[in-house]
Amino acid sequence: MKRVIALLLVLSIAYVLLPMEYSRRDVMPSYEYYVENWEEVGTSNLVMGVLADWRLYDSVIEAMIFFTGILGSYILLEDKNYDDE
Amino acid sequence: MMMSNVVRTTTKMVSPFLVTYSIYIMIYGHLSPGGGFQAGVILAVSVILLLTAHGHVVMERKIDESQFKMIEVAMGVGILLLVSGGLLFGTMFYNYVDRGTFGLPFSGGFIPIFNILVGLKVGAGFMVVYYALTRWSEDD
């Protein structure tokens, strides 16, 4: 039963996602928006403007993922005989 | 494990310049190619070079690893506080600091502050990981 539900879910997601197409020319692509509104951010490095202003949530969550990775590796490799703390 | 005299001397000479370069990339990340993550990696490499060349036994007398962990956690909390400060001005992730003049170091709102925080966080994080990974390879 679970497999049938999973299969139906996958098929329904595929039904929604597969017909998506980005070939329309009348809608402005995102890079054109970034270049046209460059002055809005006020940084001369456009990559940093995209990363740290328009897509700041992505950068912050990436930093948190990095933090989680460091935490996990440190917990795994912890020195058990390290009696300093 | 301690490497040869040549390696140790060269590393001692190169490492301060790496720290200077990393700070330059951190502060000017929004004006020239670079950014917080790259600056952090260079900062971590300056310490990893010393660790590799001199070995853990010598370096443990010079550096305190718990400080790296403290910097890492403090910068993580700082990033979250900086970002959620936008809630007072409308939405989360909103750049609420004055934008300044285009092309000068004081421009782009909080992007320089964000770069410095991310750089310190990534640098301290890589140092902690390298320290934890190589701690077991020590014989002496």
Side-chain angles (χ1 to χ4, degrees), chain A residues 38-45 48 52-53 56-57 59-60 63-64 66-67 70 73-74 77-79 85, chain B residues 29-32 65 69 72 83 93 95 99 102 107-108 110-111 115 121-122 125-126 128-129 133 135-136:
Chain A
W38 193 332
E39 303 282 332
E40 193 183 296
V41 184
T43 60
S44 48
N45 184 0
M48 211 61 232
D53 199 293
L56 181 61
Y57 55 92
S59 301
V60 169
M64 291 307 130
F66 182 71
F67 178 69
I70 284 169
S73 66
Y74 200 80
L77 297 163
E78 190 191 18
D79 194 352
E85 44 189 32
Chain B
H30 58 300
L31 300 177
S32 57
E65 181 220 13
K69 281 188 269 181
E72 158 88 12
V83 164
F93 303 119
N95 195 340
R99 302 270 176 181
F102 185 86
S107 67
F110 68 49
I111 292 179
N115 270 339
K121 179 176 150 57
V122 170
F126 274 121
V128 168
V129 165
L133 278 174
R135 187 158 51 198
W136 304 103

Side-chain angles (χ1 to χ4, degrees), chain B residues 4 11-12 16 19 23 35 50 55 63 69 71 74 95 100 103 109 113 115 117 128 137-138:
Chain B
S4 73
T11 318
K12 267 186 195 168
V19 176
I23 289 167
L50 288 175
I63 58 176
K69 281 188 269 181
I71 291 173
N95 195 340
I113 310 170
N115 270 339
L117 289 179
V128 168
S137 65
E138 283 294 304

